Amino acid sequence: MRVDYETLEYTVFNGSSYGVTVDTMGRPWVGDSPQRFNPLTGTYDAPPMGSLPGAGGSGIAEDHEGRMWAATSGGIGWVDRDTLVVGDTVALPAQGIYRGISVDVDGYIWAIPLGGTQAFKVDPETYAFESIGGLNGPYTYSDMTGGQLNAVNCFQPEG
């Protein structure tokens, strides 16, 4: 849905997704299988050679380098914000879907496995990660770290 912030008129678009964000260029993204939404056409711009392997059911977040991070089968991976080229994947040890994906203010990628008891903090340059345990059924797919505040722009979205 798009809501005009002056008139409050709205447009409903077909489709659905689990995670959603807006990149630093003001473009909406969905995280199930990372795709950029084009509000002018009502369609999704997908990576030219397919998406991340096994992506689905996750949040999505932009890092400080313009990479859109989402879940993959057994970990996380990224798609380039502008070219839509699929980048690297990072295997993580917990099984299942990594529902929560976020980028903190220092640029680290955070991944929370659905139904798990831990979070993973991933270095976006080296892909080294650490596990933070002792969590009690964490469930998130939004900006759990507050890092997306770095991506806020105060301009009227196009479309």
Side-chain angles (χ1 to χ4, degrees), residues 23 27 29 34-36 45-48 52 60 62-63 65-69 77-88:
D23 68 22
R27 300 172 296 197
W29 283 76
Q35 298 177 64
R36 191 175 58 211
D45 299 325
L52 295 170
I60 184 166
E62 179 182 0
D63 74 5
E65 303 299 320
R67 298 174 291 191
M68 306 304 292
W69 288 85
W78 59 268
V79 172
D80 184 273
R81 174 194 69 200
D82 299 317
T83 66
L84 299 174
V85 170
V86 174
D88 296 326

Side-chain angles (χ1 to χ4, degrees), residues 2 16 19 26-27 29 32 41 47 56 80 89-90 92 95 113-115 128 130 135 140 152 159:
R2 178 188 182 277
S16 65
R27 300 172 296 197
W29 283 76
D32 285 346
T41 64
D80 184 273
T89 59
V90 180
L92 296 172
Q95 299 298 311
L114 183 61
E130 63 180 286
L135 305 178
T140 182
V152 172

Side-chain angles (χ1 to χ4, degrees), residues 4-92:
D4 184 291
Y5 70 93
E6 290 180 1
T7 66
L8 300 182
E9 291 180 14
Y10 62 90
T11 304
V12 177
F13 297 98
N14 290 329
S16 65
S17 180
Y18 195 83
V20 65
T21 195
V22 176
D23 68 22
T24 53
M25 305 302 290
R27 300 172 296 197
W29 283 76
V30 295
D32 285 346
S33 180
Q35 298 177 64
R36 191 175 58 211
F37 182 68
N38 184 332
L40 298 175
T41 64
T43 60
Y44 292 90
D45 299 325
M49 300 302 290
S51 193
L52 295 170
S58 76
I60 184 166
E62 179 182 0
D63 74 5
H64 298 180
E65 303 299 320
R67 298 174 291 191
M68 306 304 292
W69 288 85
T72 67
S73 179
I76 59 174
W78 59 268
V79 172
D80 184 273
R81 174 194 69 200
D82 299 317
T83 66
L84 299 174
V85 170
V86 174
D88 296 326
T89 59
V90 180
L92 296 172

